[in-house]
Amino acid sequence: MKNILINLFIALTYILIGKLSLLLSSLDGYSTPIWPPAGLSLGLAIIYGNKIWFGLFLGAYFTNTNDLNISIEFLNGLFNNLQNLTIAFGNSLGAIIGSYIVNKKLKNNFHFYTIKDIFSFFIFAGSISPLIAATIGVTSLYLSKVIYFEFILNTWITWWLGDAIGIIIFTPLIIVFWKWRKNLEVKSRVLIVTITTLCTFVIALLIFFFTRHWEKNFIEYRIKSDGIIISESISTHLKNTFTTVKSLRNYMKVAENLNRKKFELFAEESLKQSKGILAFSWNPFISNSERNNYENQLRIDYPQSMGIKERNLENNFEYAIQKDKYVFVRYIFPYDENKDAIGYNVWSNEIRKKALLNAKKTNEIEITSKIKLVQKSEHVIGILVFNYSSNIFGEEGFSTAVLQLSSIIEESLIDFKNLNLCINIYDDLNPEDPLLFKVNCEDVNNTIFKKFTIENKIFLGSRTWTVSVQPTKNYFIANLSKSSYFILIISSILTGILGMLSLIITGREKNIKELVEIRTIELERANKVKSEFLANMSHEIRTPMNGVLGMLTLLETTKPSVEQTEYLVSAKKSVMALLTIINDILDVSKLENKKLELVPVTTNVTRLCKDIIQLFKIEANNKNLTLNLKVFKEKEDLFILIDENRLRQIIINILGNALKFTHNGSVTLNINLNEGKNLLIFQIIDTGIGISEENIERLFNRFVQLEDTKTKKFEGAGLGLFITKQLIDLMGGNIKIQSKLGEGSNFQIEIPFHEVEAPKVEHTPDQIPENYKSLNILVAEDNPVNQLYVKRILEKKGFQVTIANNGIELLKIIDDTIKNETKFDLILMDIQMPEMDGITATKLIRNRNDYVKEIPIIALTANNMDFQVQEYLGNGIDACVKKPIVLKDLLDILQNIIDR
């Protein structure tokens, strides 16, 4: 049903556009220089394929057929207009085959981004489909005798070119619009291409219609002018002929002792002056009382005459019955061809009687309607010309001439024989059979020619003739400039070229954008691989580091000697330095991928700075340096909303460098507020080796160390200050440096802040309430060293600890404790474990229907990338402790979970 509706819609659309496109026909009606339905049909065939063939066929057929009613007459007419069927077949077949070849050659790639893509499309689309349609269509028109042989090539070229231009202009619009509907094209590109193409095409149409209107007016004026000249020439020749008839009348007025010989001598000389007159006669107008006298004279001149005669019903001559009046043929020349007319009573014929009365009444020339001339063996049309006269003796009569119309008219048209005009002459007073003459009218059945017909009137006595002048195809060939035709072709080609340029220009931007998107995807994929690599490496490094740091921490609890304590401190310091480098590398990766986010929390700035100073006390004492902290006087404690960990990282990085590069003197951390009290100002001042101006400019670059690597004295990867600068920028602050070589440096950090109220209670992690120390904690961890560390450290804090080697074992332990009616209060869950990982185990726990579902779960993981942490939290984990486990961090989170 859907396909049927699509085909009907396509057929109706084709018919509508096709009928409108017929308005673009050239003035002679033989060709359409551009055929938009060709572009429509190919575009739709490319989109929908073979299933719309019938819709295209119906649309093409009814476009070329005026009868849209399905009836018996219509069905019979199908076989009388087979060319319409074959044309429709050719148009639809061309679209289907063209779309198949285009799809196959271009592999359904219709992006129209590059010049190569666009030209490839137009080469295949703009040639194949029109080639098939034009060949089938023109062959059909020739075989149906609609066009002549000499017009085949011209019609084929015009057909092919019209279809090709229609495809070049409209097929890309249809495809681009369809791709936009499928969200495969951007709206801006569709609008640019559509507006550019259609506006240009509309301008081309306006120029075309204006030029064609001018051509039409020119043709109409030319035909009208030629028609007037022809009508005047015919009228002039007829009137010149009538002059000869009038000369006969004048002769009859003055002739004395008239006899047959005198009449024939005058008539013979008169006939030489006009070849269109076949015979002259003198027809006396007599009464019945004069009949005998005239009949006697008639028999003297023409012994064989029966007297005054008429035709009977069988059209044979017989002696005329008695009547009041007679107008009979008394003399006639030439005699041999007209001897049967001697004595004929012209008055007996009502049509001629009417003409005779009009001639007598007006005393002017009067003519009859057309007659068949008995003087000619073939069917030749003529007329009788009457001219009334009376002589000095009181005799009345009519000078009569027999005219052969074709001879007179052809003589009048001798100068116009090359005009290629169809000329018809009609008698307006003879509606039943009006045609008097026609010439050059063999190929004027086309309605296009008929609408240019010009008519002029000729008045002859009481009769009116209409001279109809109509152009032929040769007249159009000779006189039509075809300016509109060529203007539309050229402007349409320019429209197509402009459309192509708009596709190329917008496609170039789109192509660049697509390449950028591809490169972005590749970069994102590379970054993802890099992030996964960093995450895996972080995990693999942090896991053993957690064991090392854990064992060192446990070792500190065994009351080591002074020497052992020194070794332990050095070992822990090395581990923490390695951990700092790992964290710095991960931070750099996050900053590059713009994935590092600040997490503001309520922070006591004063307490934070005191803790940092305390952290560096031992190192300062070992170097005999004075480490100072100067806090603003306005208030002892300042609570602000800020990412505490990142602020700590900033201060530690700069303060640590100050201590590293200072051998004598002091390092001071000053904390102040600006005058507006909206900026925190940290100043770290040292009396160290200082920094040159040249090195200050490159101080915050990645992997930059100001020492020569060959003579390097100080540790570090060159990432600390780069990360510090990026973090300060994220916080909306800035950093300034003042330094002189050999005198020291002054790092000033300005960070905007928002003051908040102090929290009501602050917990001390090392002082866990006694009622919490009986909590039963289940630890899922596969690494034996980490198992030992976590178990011992928690047991030393008073917790009960059970170890599971993986997720499956953890679930089994839980099930066993339920049977034993014991409960776990907290689960510490490693993420990466054999047999069953921590996330899977967490999901199974959260899907249970017993108390276990609500047990708090804290992840112990070496995977500390932000996206990983978010994944864990989204799958039921309550909090994360990153490895290597820092005892203070673990106890902080434990306390927070316990307090819930």
Side-chain angles (χ1 to χ4, degrees), residues 283-292 294-295 308-310 320-329 343-350 353 356-357 360 388 394-398:
N283 304 335
F285 182 33
I286 64 172
S287 63
N288 186 56
S289 62
E290 298 173 290
R291 176 176 179 173
N292 288 333
Y294 275 93
E295 282 183 333
I308 298 175
K309 58 185 180 183
E310 298 175 355
I321 62 174
Q322 181 178 331
K323 294 183 179 180
D324 293 336
K325 300 289 184 181
Y326 304 93
V327 177
F328 70 99
V329 179
Y344 175 65
N345 182 19
V346 182
W347 194 261
S348 65
N349 184 296
E350 290 298 325
K353 180 180 179 181
L356 291 168
L357 288 172
K360 183 177 184 300
Y388 172 78
E395 292 180 319
E396 297 179 274
F398 296 90

Side-chain angles (χ1 to χ4, degrees), residues 707-718:
E707 294 180 280
D708 186 342
T709 55
K710 294 179 181 179
T711 59
K712 183 176 178 180
K713 299 179 181 178
F714 303 101
E715 298 176 351

Side-chain angles (χ1 to χ4, degrees), residues 527-626:
N527 284 333
K528 183 178 179 182
V529 171
K530 183 177 74 173
S531 297
E532 290 176 352
F533 171 77
L534 289 173
N536 289 334
M537 291 305 298
S538 172
H539 178 273
E540 296 304 318
I541 294 173
R542 286 172 181 274
T543 298
M545 281 183 61
N546 184 63
V548 173
L549 186 60
M551 290 302 101
L552 292 174
T553 303
L554 288 176
L555 193 58
E556 283 181 317
T557 64
T558 61
K559 298 180 180 180
S561 64
V562 174
E563 183 180 1
Q564 290 172 332
T565 300
E566 183 180 354
Y567 297 157
L568 284 174
V569 170
S570 297
K572 287 185 70 176
K573 183 178 180 181
S574 297
V575 171
M576 295 305 294
L578 181 58
L579 182 60
T580 299
I581 293 173
I582 294 172
N583 287 335
D584 285 348
I585 293 172
L586 294 177
D587 283 344
V588 169
S589 176
K590 292 177 185 178
L591 289 167
E592 287 179 343
N593 295 321
K594 301 187 183 303
K595 292 183 177 180
L596 192 148
E597 296 181 358
L598 300 178
V599 183
V601 296
T602 300
T603 302
N604 187 336
V605 176
T606 306
R607 171 70 180 274
L608 174 65
C609 292
K610 289 180 179 179
D611 289 343
I612 293 173
I613 290 296
Q614 195 64 36
L615 182 65
F616 287 102
K617 273 288 187 184
I618 297 176
E619 182 178 351
N621 291 336
N622 291 337
K623 296 183 70 173
N624 295 318
L625 297 175
T626 303

Side-chain angles (χ1 to χ4, degrees), residues 66 73 150 152 195 218 238 308 361 375-376 414 429 437 668 670 714:
N66 293 325
E73 292 76 10
E150 59 267 24
I152 288 179
I195 292 173
F218 172 78
L238 284 170
I308 298 175
K361 180 179 179 181
Q375 293 87 348
K376 298 290 182 178
I414 193 167
L429 296 181
F437 175 85
T668 303
N670 291 333
F714 303 101

